[in-house]
Amino acid sequence: MLVFVHIEKTGGTSLKFILRNTFGVKHCDSLKNKKKIFTQKDLDYAKKIFGQIKCISGHNLVEPSKHFTEEGLFFFTVLRDPIIRSASFYQDHCLRGTYEIGFEEWMKDENKHNMQTKRFAGSADLEKAKNVLRDLYPFVGLTERFEDSLKLLSVVCPEKLNLK
């Protein structure tokens, strides 16, 4: 089963469209359970309800090395330059009306720092995040090289993806 750990503002919405287009009802969006963290227990429940799932994706797939015990999961993600990702995240929330403060003020919030690192390590521990990515993720793409990343993903992915 494919597990796409979607980090906000890294091109993941486009990739999720590809996954939905490829797998249809066999794709599960982990955010549908409305939980902050999607775990193995949630995945087991989703399998009971939806049957055979080939792919799961979402923002709430946090620290998967801690929250998933199932064998044979193919974890993958897309990373982005952290400063550009933060600026894009801030801009997106401003456009949605979520933030009404300046960028400098927003960045003073420690919770906004190292968001990609925290997604993998569960904390701002960069070495732990690098180890998780190295040990658990057969594929890590880059937003800045999105087209090339998709081509590489299609080569290493255990499932055929519909990239057209």
Side-chain angles (χ1 to χ4, degrees):
M1 175 187 311
L2 306 181
V3 180
F4 171 51
V5 177
H6 180 187
I7 298 169
E8 298 88 335
K9 310 316 294 172
T10 61
T13 301
S14 298
L15 187 47
K16 280 176 71 172
F17 175 81
I18 290 168
L19 297 172
R20 282 190 203 109
N21 190 36
T22 299
F23 299 109
V25 297
K26 293 180 181 179
H27 172 267
C28 177
D29 187 339
S30 66
L31 289 174
K32 299 293 183 196
N33 76 351
K34 306 228 186 277
K35 291 184 178 178
K36 187 175 181 176
I37 298 175
F38 191 90
T39 66
Q40 182 68 49
K41 184 178 175 182
D42 299 313
L43 178 57
D44 294 340
Y45 180 75
K47 286 179 176 181
K48 262 189 218 179
I49 299 300
F50 299 108
Q52 186 182 17
I53 297 173
K54 290 197 169 216
C55 180
I56 186 165
S57 61
H59 295 237
N60 59 351
L61 299 169
V62 178
E63 201 179 359
S65 58
K66 176 180 175 183
H67 296 289
F68 288 92
T69 57
E70 185 170 326
E71 294 291 321
L73 298 177
F74 181 89
F75 288 96
F76 65 105
T77 193
V78 178
L79 300 178
R80 188 174 187 182
D81 176 284
I83 296 190
I84 295 170
R85 195 213 65 80
S86 293
S88 180
F89 185 86
Y90 171 78
Q91 181 182 29
D92 182 56
H93 281 268
C94 285
L95 292 171
R96 294 173 191 248
T98 310
Y99 299 137
E100 295 180 3
I101 59 174
F103 183 70
E104 293 82 14
E105 184 70 23
W106 178 78
M107 281 304 298
K108 288 179 184 175
D109 181 352
E110 292 286 326
N111 293 321
K112 307 295 188 245
H113 298 186
N114 304 309
M115 294 198 44
Q116 294 177 107
T117 302
K118 291 173 186 174
R119 185 64 52 92
F120 304 107
S123 68
D125 184 341
L126 179 59
E127 287 307 310
K128 182 178 178 183
K130 289 183 338 187
N131 289 335
V132 167
L133 287 170
R134 184 193 67 235
D135 297 341
L136 189 65
Y137 285 71
F139 180 80
V140 177
L142 298 173
T143 303
E144 292 79 6
R145 303 284 307 267
F146 195 72
E147 294 283 326
D148 292 334
S149 293
L150 286 179
K151 288 175 188 172
L152 285 172
L153 177 60
S154 71
V155 171
V156 299
C157 187
E159 298 283 345
K160 185 171 175 15
L161 299 176
N162 182 359
L163 297 177
K164 296 182 181 199

